[in-house]
Amino acid sequence: MSQLPPCPQCGSEFTYLDGATCICPECAHEWTPGAESQGTDETRVIRDANGNELADGDSVTVIKDLKVKGSSLVVKIGTKVRNIRLVDGDHDIDCKIDGIGAMKLKSEFVKKA
């Protein structure tokens, strides 16, 4: 029996084949073996709610009232956020909002200013 590669996302060794696709049962990541070397040139493009491409240092505007988790504060609609940083993870944007502090935002709740 051939040895399957570990999951590239979580490192699990319990991967299995489904046709030509490898699947990780722990994190549900799917990939085709041998395609990892082809996808290294690809850069992730992050877009705002209107489909405009975002870059580091852009200014964005919040399009929806957002509750701050663990606090009674609310980021109001129309709040302008300057000098954003794009990151990988469950939230796309790291920023600092006046009166609130450091925040992590999802790109689907902002538009480019």
Side-chain angles (χ1 to χ4, degrees):
M1 186 166 174
S2 66
Q3 185 71 10
L4 293 174
C7 176
Q9 193 161 2
C10 71
S12 171
E13 296 180 4
F14 302 111
T15 58
Y16 62 92
L17 277 175
D18 185 19
T21 306
C22 284
I23 300 174
C24 175
E26 293 183 11
C27 69
H29 179 65
E30 298 181 7
W31 76 99
T32 52
E36 295 87 25
S37 60
Q38 297 171 356
T40 57
D41 302 356
E42 215 171 290
T43 58
R44 184 172 170 211
V45 176
I46 298 176
R47 299 190 182 277
D48 68 358
N50 295 333
N52 299 322
E53 188 173 332
L54 297 174
D56 284 338
D58 281 348
S59 293
V60 295
T61 305
V62 178
I63 63 168
K64 178 182 174 184
D65 284 348
L66 301 172
K67 295 180 182 178
V68 178
K69 196 170 193 176
S71 171
S72 62
L73 299 173
V74 175
V75 179
K76 294 287 188 180
I77 187 171
T79 302
K80 190 167 185 178
V81 181
R82 295 179 190 90
N83 197 20
I84 64 170
R85 289 180 311 278
L86 302 179
V87 295
D88 290 332
D90 58 342
H91 292 78
D92 303 319
I93 300 171
D94 274 348
C95 61
K96 190 174 185 181
I97 298 177
D98 294 336
I100 295 177
M103 292 285 298
K104 293 184 178 188
L105 300 173
K106 290 189 176 185
S107 60
E108 62 196 58
F109 299 121
V110 298
K111 68 178 181 177
K112 197 168 186 176

